[in-house]
């Protein structure tokens, strides 16, 4: 039709070739959402399981194009391989389809994980953004950044809710008590209330890493982090996605289980 | 943390001020989705109602920033006012939140509209794109473009399914029969099979327009298109959103019901 | 060659259709350049003439695609028609060719205007930027913005150099004296030193507007601002470009001489 | 002023951190320019010298931010270090200032190199574009791409002008003769007319590489390509820029003279 000229007003937004990129989704006003649905504080493991399963679904949907995913709190990051070709690398397609799949799987999965006791009261939603990561070094730093965030939040929130729940402090007073405290002081606050930070579940302190199972490719004698949880196969015959709660910051660049799916097998030395 | 420098790799993607823009969501592989869920052909009115309600939910969520929305088939377009400030006009926030809200409301609403007979079998998803519309003329042409698309699809699909369902043609043969036919020939095909195109429901031929009810502002003596369906109030005291199935192409620029919420009341002559 | 894949790393940067845009060039560190070449303060009319001629050359080079240009101090803005198709509206081509043509003509023209007394000592250079202007209203406001800048600079600089040259104030003391003064106070300072701001040459106070001569198209009985200076024809038979030093802020939208080349003759009412 | 809101219509165009980028300038319609100025075919060494000096001037102007430059025919590419901070990495500033400096120095330098016999008849101009290069590998491939282009052009043009000048073929017939010929056939054509391609000057076959002299840093015992020409010092005490006509494709990644200024001295292994 004579109106089709309007198509030219869409922006061209292809990501340049040969760079990695992350799409990060983050729950909108999840503080309030958690409140309204009476989620456990600071971490509700049913929510964690739902988010991990949701992310596994997204990762499957993009077949091998996502090499690793990482999530904690109300966010999940999907790291696409540098050779990903999906949607012609168009930013708006990548952003919108990732967040739509995520939202859809989250809502569909809710009943199975939290629905019994906690019916869905609002329509939960997520934002998304795309971050270009020009080299493997930037991928490592991106993941480290998010995992440091996980750790810092975990410490703060654990201490915070102990002050509120054990000491009966008001929310405001709990924040005031923690203002300006360093890591050591927060650990001390937990310790005095019977919590040893290092004994908190790994999943709280480290978040969750999703990777493709490379069982067959990995030499038996390499010590691998033990997967604590395993996503069910979704597509018959498809490769499995496994959940780890391991440290991403200290892992070596050539950790095949963590990073082997992010680069071509023949990438020189997994740079 | 020392990793925070990674935040600088996010792109800055604010839309320039003072332009309208459309966010269009479109169902991913809905042909297959419709098939798997046994939806009625060519138009399943339960789906239409669900999509309209879903879009109404999105429009409410952005308060007054969306001035008009239009949908048909598996797509919906939200036209934002030129003075919209939401999310600082950041493209990725606008895209991702719109499509996430849409997906969430669609999945949440499914059971109420189609769930009884048709449980949700996959996780439906949508893509989204953003189209900058520099002037009101472009808004009109954008809407006209989508409504022409609705009309063309409606004609084609109605004729197509008559050939398949009445004449027992194979899908391939039906497509072949229609190849190269013009409007008149398609109308003839329908006519011979007992269908008068012009008597098809407005909603099939025109799609759905969502606008804010301006009942109080509109002089009684102005002939307004009669709203055929009305979304329920969602927020107590909030302005209502109403559904119309009217012609968007021939409407005058100063049609207050259609376009009055898209521009400031004091915009000179609603240009 | 196998290296040609690198071409895909160039960005796609087309401007959307149907919007006006300005390319503004601005001299780099012209304060120092003016100093080193002993230019007259605050305005050296030889420089003004050179800049105007240079801009006329650029405007000619883009044939009819630039509808109006405006310059003052060390800057010039070229407003492209909303239907400009040049270089497929690619931002980097538009930016780079405009600033390159400008620089080239400036250097080539130097000897003719200032060369006798003032040989070129450095290689002068300019930056450039592109500003999207979605409607004619934004074009008007863009031009007004630059002309207000001209006026404010003219007032400040005239007062400033009077303090320096007549009162023998140091540069620092002159700045201090003017800090916080309003328009009235600056006029007073000039007045006391024998200068009536309103009697300064128009070109100082208003800068220069370049437009295409529409002598033949314009009805005789319309009062047109009188062109004070006229660029020589550059291409035999080509339409002439004329220089005006008129007020751009108060001019009516339908001033054919100023804005008639910016829009199609058949644009409805020159909106 | 109330018009300043227009500043928000400028686009934000910062290049992401930590990537290299090339700015390539290319002469506009230089075929015609060369013709009008009677330049020697296929390569006029006076033009080459002028272009090299011009590029050296640009490289100096950006201090150490450009690590290497490469040019041939009417084009020059400047490769910026991945840690370049100049102009806040704003694309339009980088593009416009590079091409403006280049144009200015070219015009200013003309008289010294070609002016005697060949006064400048038009205002020469250049376009420019910016190419993001995410890794050192892409820098290598970018340079290889341009040098292959140099080689292919050199072969074609040398054969072409031999056919025109020795065989008195028309331009059209010369093109027809060369259509579909491979490297070997072109070499044969040259050979039969007394030209051994491999004996053509390096500068014709390889173009020119500009690098920072690292004389003091480079161990004596490393065999370095011998600089054939040397730019004069421009700034007293500044590091020198030297011209090479060496092969960029086969050079090893750790060639300090070629690539040592492109990366920090402490970059791990010059990756
Ligand atoms: N009770 C509870 N809250 C959680 C859990 N996981 C995340 N949250 C809450 C804690 C935080 O307040 C919030 C995540 O922080 P954000 O910075 O994403 O802020 P929020 O989502 O509220 O707002 P936003 O729209 O992202 O700006 O979600 C959980 O397992 N249990
Ligand atoms: N049976 C049935 N099908 C519908 C209805 N509404 C839309 N559809 C189908 C018809 C079309 O095949 C499809 C929409 O066409 P699209 O061009 O969006 O293609 P599709 O979604 O299949 O793929 P895409 O991922 O958008 O490229 O949805 C409906 O009410 N009933
Ligand atoms: N003496 C003299 N100076 C002039 C004349 N026209 C412009 N200038 C000087 C006055 C200002 O200091 C300068 C223009 O101001 P800008 O804001 O463009 O700053 P400048 O070019 O120094 O630095 P920039 O690289 O643009 O940030 O040029 C003139 O006719 N005579
Ligand atoms: N005679 C002569 N011509 C040269 C020399 N160096 C470059 N040229 C000419 C040969 C080519 O026709 C032209 C460069 O080719 P381009 O692909 O850049 O095309 P051109 O500049 O004509 O058009 P453009 O505006 O870049 O699309 O410049 C030279 O040293 N001598
Ligand atoms: O859906 P279209 O026709 O506007 O085009 P697209 O979405 O850009 O392409 P596709 O849906 O085929 O990916
Ligand atoms: O809108 P906000 O506050 O969430 O801003 P943001 O850009 O999402 O920032 P962050 O990365 O801190 O969520
Ligand atoms: O010069 P090219 O071949 O890289 O391509 P372009 O400059 O984008 O195109 P053109 O010079 O023909 O405008
Ligand atoms: O780099 P500057 O300081 O010139 O910054 P700018 O973006 O050019 O700002 P302005 O529009 O004030 O010249
Ligand atoms: Mg946020
Ligand atoms: Mg959140
Ligand atoms: Mg969060
Ligand atoms: Mg599509
Ligand atoms: Mg679809
Ligand atoms: Mg569709
Ligand atoms: Mg500036
Ligand atoms: Mg300046
Ligand atoms: Mg200036
Ligand atoms: Mg070109
Ligand atoms: Mg060229
Ligand atoms: Mg060239």
């Amino acid at each position: 039709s004579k109106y089709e000229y309007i198509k030219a007003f869409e922006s061209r937004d292809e990501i340049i070739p040969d760079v990695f990129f992350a799409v990060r989704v983050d729950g909108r006003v999840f503080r309030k959402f958690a409140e309204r649905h009476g989620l456990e504080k600071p971490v509700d493991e049913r929510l964690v399981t739902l988010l991990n399963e949701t992310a596994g679904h997204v990762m499957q949907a993009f077949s091998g194009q996502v090499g690793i995913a990482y999530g904690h709190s109300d966010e999940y990051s999907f790291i696409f391989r540098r050779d990903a070709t999906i949607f012609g690398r168009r930013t708006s397609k990548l952003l919108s389809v990732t967040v739509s799949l995520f939202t859809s799987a989250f809502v569909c999965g809710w009943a199975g994980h939290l629905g019994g006791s906690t019916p869905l009261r609002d329509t939960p939603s997520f934002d998304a953004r795309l971050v270009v990561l020009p080299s493997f070094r930037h991928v490592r730093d991106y993941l480290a950044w998010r995992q440091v965030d996980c750790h810092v939040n975990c410490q703060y929130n654990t201490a915070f809710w102990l002050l509120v729940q054990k000491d009966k402090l008001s929310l405001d007073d709990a924040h005031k008590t923690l203002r300006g405290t360093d890591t050591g002081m927060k650990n001390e606050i937990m310790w005095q209330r019977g919590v040893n930070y290092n004994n908190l579940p790994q999943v709280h302190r480290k978040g969750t890493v999703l990777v493709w199972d490379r069982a067959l490719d990995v030499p038996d004698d390499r010590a691998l982090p033990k997967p604590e949880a395993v996503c069910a196969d979704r597509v018959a015959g498809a490769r499995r996605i496994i959940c780890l709660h391991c440290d991403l910051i200290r892992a070596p660049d050539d950790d095949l289980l963590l990073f082997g799916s992010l680069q071509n097998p023949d990438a020189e030395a997994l740079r």
Side-chain angles (χ1 to χ4, degrees), chain A:
Chain A
S1 77
K2 69 166 171 164
Y3 303 114
E4 254 166 284
Y5 81 96
I6 287 287
K7 206 164 161 44
F9 289 78
E10 269 182 41
S11 62
R12 304 289 256 308
D13 58 1
E14 288 90 357
I15 302 167
I16 55 170
D18 276 358
V19 291
F20 301 94
F21 53 90
V23 175
R24 179 165 80 254
V25 300
D26 182 282
R28 288 190 62 226
V29 285
F30 250 57
R31 179 187 306 282
K32 225 179 85 190
F33 180 85
E35 206 65 54
R36 267 176 68 79
H37 291 83
L39 301 192
E40 227 170 286
K41 289 152 183 169
V43 176
D44 191 313
E45 305 225 354
R46 299 167 305 165
L47 179 72
V48 173
T49 308
L50 171 56
L51 285 167
N52 292 347
E53 200 178 288
T54 298
H57 173 76
V58 171
M59 202 162 155
Q60 285 279 6
F62 289 131
S63 341
Q65 312 232 356
V66 170
I68 183 172
Y70 173 73
H72 74 101
S73 181
D74 67 339
E75 72 170 59
Y76 238 102
S77 296
F78 301 90
I79 315 287
F80 286 75
R81 290 166 56 96
R82 63 176 7 144
D83 61 4
T85 53
I86 190 163
F87 300 128
R89 299 173 78 86
R90 287 159 62 190
T91 300
S92 47
K93 286 258 183 185
L94 283 160
L95 262 185
S96 60
V97 173
T98 302
V99 76
S100 182
L101 280 170
F102 196 93
T103 307
S104 191
F106 183 88
V107 176
C108 290
W110 180 271
H113 289 282
L114 294 106
S117 45
T118 324
L120 204 47
R121 302 176 60 172
D122 315 295
T123 47
S125 63
F126 298 84
D127 69 22
R129 73 195 69 204
L130 192 141
V131 186
V132 169
L133 301 168
S135 77
F136 184 60
R137 187 67 12 226
H138 297 105
V139 171
R140 294 300 309 265
D141 286 351
Y142 179 90
L143 292 169
W145 176 41
R146 300 325 300 155
Q147 197 167 49
V148 166
D149 202 63
C150 172
H151 161 69
V152 168
N153 283 345
C154 178
Q155 263 195 331
Y156 190 95
N157 290 337
T158 306
F160 180 85
W161 290 112
L162 282 173
L163 290 173
V164 172
Q165 290 167 347
K166 292 232 162 149
D167 294 22
K168 308 297 173 198
L169 258 57
S170 73
L171 302 185
D172 249 34
D173 287 345
H175 281 306
K176 272 186 204 139
T177 305
L178 290 174
R179 195 164 301 152
T181 57
D182 63 13
T183 290
M185 289 150 84
K186 289 200 198 75
N187 279 340
E188 188 57 30
I189 287 173
M190 292 185 251
W191 181 259
Q192 286 166 355
R193 283 151 192 84
V195 172
N196 179 340
Y197 180 72
N198 291 316
N199 291 343
L200 289 180
Q202 283 269 99
V203 59
H204 292 207
R205 288 179 293 121
K206 300 295 181 192
T208 302
V209 184
L210 298 188
V211 291
W212 295 99
D213 188 0
R214 300 171 54 93
L216 305 175
D217 314 323
V218 177
D220 263 10
D221 56 295
R222 252 200 78 232
L224 291 173
K226 184 77 183 52
E228 290 187 5
V230 171
C231 283
D233 277 12
R234 306 199 142 257
V235 184
R239 279 165 67 209
R240 279 187 322 160
I241 289 168
I242 55 177
C243 296
L244 311 172
H245 308 292
C246 60
D247 192 292
L248 282 168
I249 301 173
R250 265 164 296 232
D253 282 359
D254 61 358
D255 185 321
L256 275 182
L257 180 63
L258 289 180
F259 307 121
S261 300
L262 203 54
Q263 314 222 34
N264 276 329
D266 58 352
E268 319 110 55
L270 283 171
R271 268 192 317 158

